[in-house]
């Protein structure tokens, strides 16, 4: 079976039973721990499912679109981690001591 077929079946197992653990998904799908683990990683990477603690759930359409937009914007300071919207903290750049307030070198 191809990877996409495993993903499709596992996605639907998660849809039917909300908040499954990986072990529960293995039991319900009949797939090995390795097959389920690999599939869950692909599904998380494509933002179709998310994991909170040890439980997996299907992302809503709004979550999918929002997280896709955030992650594709190279200038965004916002990211989503474990279902929480966070802001990247950038280290302050040292100011050039040879520049005055107008940006001119002096």
């Amino acid at each position: 079976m191809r990877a996409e077929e495993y993903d499709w079946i596992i996605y639907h197992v998660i849809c039917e039973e909300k908040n499954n653990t990986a072990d529960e998904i293995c039991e319900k799908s009949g797939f090995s721990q390795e097959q389920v683990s690999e599939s869950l990683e692909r599904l998380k990477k494509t933002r179709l499912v998310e994991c909170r603690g040890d439980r997996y759930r299907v992302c809503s359409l709004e979550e999918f679109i929002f997280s896709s937009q955030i992650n594709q914007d190279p200038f965004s300071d916002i990211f989503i981690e474990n279902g929480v919207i966070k802001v990247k903290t950038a280290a302050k750049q040292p100011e050039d001591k040879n520049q005055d307030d107008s940006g001119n070198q002096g």
Side-chain angles (χ1 to χ4, degrees), residues 14 23 29 32 43:
I14 299 170
D23 290 336
S29 67
S32 71
L43 290 168

Side-chain angles (χ1 to χ4, degrees), residues 17 23 29 34 39 47 51 62 70 77 79 86 90 103:
E17 298 283 332
D23 290 336
S29 67
E34 181 181 356
S39 180
R47 298 176 196 87
C51 182
E62 292 84 2
I70 287 174
D77 289 336
F79 67 101
K86 297 182 177 184

Side-chain angles (χ1 to χ4, degrees), residues 10-80:
I10 289 172
Y11 179 83
H12 283 280
V13 166
I14 299 170
C15 285
E16 291 172 12
E17 298 283 332
K18 310 291 187 251
N19 293 317
N20 290 285
T21 65
D23 290 336
E24 291 168 338
I25 296 168
C26 287
E27 185 180 312
K28 292 172 185 172
S29 67
F31 299 142
S32 71
Q33 187 72 35
E34 181 181 356
Q35 291 166 323
V36 169
S37 179
E38 290 172 358
S39 180
L40 289 171
E41 285 304 312
R42 287 189 299 270
L43 290 168
K44 286 189 326 186
K45 187 176 181 178
T46 57
R47 298 176 196 87
L48 293 173
V49 301
E50 75 169 359
C51 182
R52 291 189 184 176
D54 66 342
R55 303 258 170 205
Y56 291 87
R57 71 173 194 84
V58 172
C59 294
S60 70
L61 179 60
E62 292 84 2
E63 291 170 315
F64 172 77
I65 292 170
F66 183 66
S67 65
S68 294
Q69 287 176 335
I70 287 174
N71 289 316
Q72 291 179 8
D73 182 355
F75 303 108
S76 176
D77 289 336
I78 299 171
F79 67 101
I80 299 175

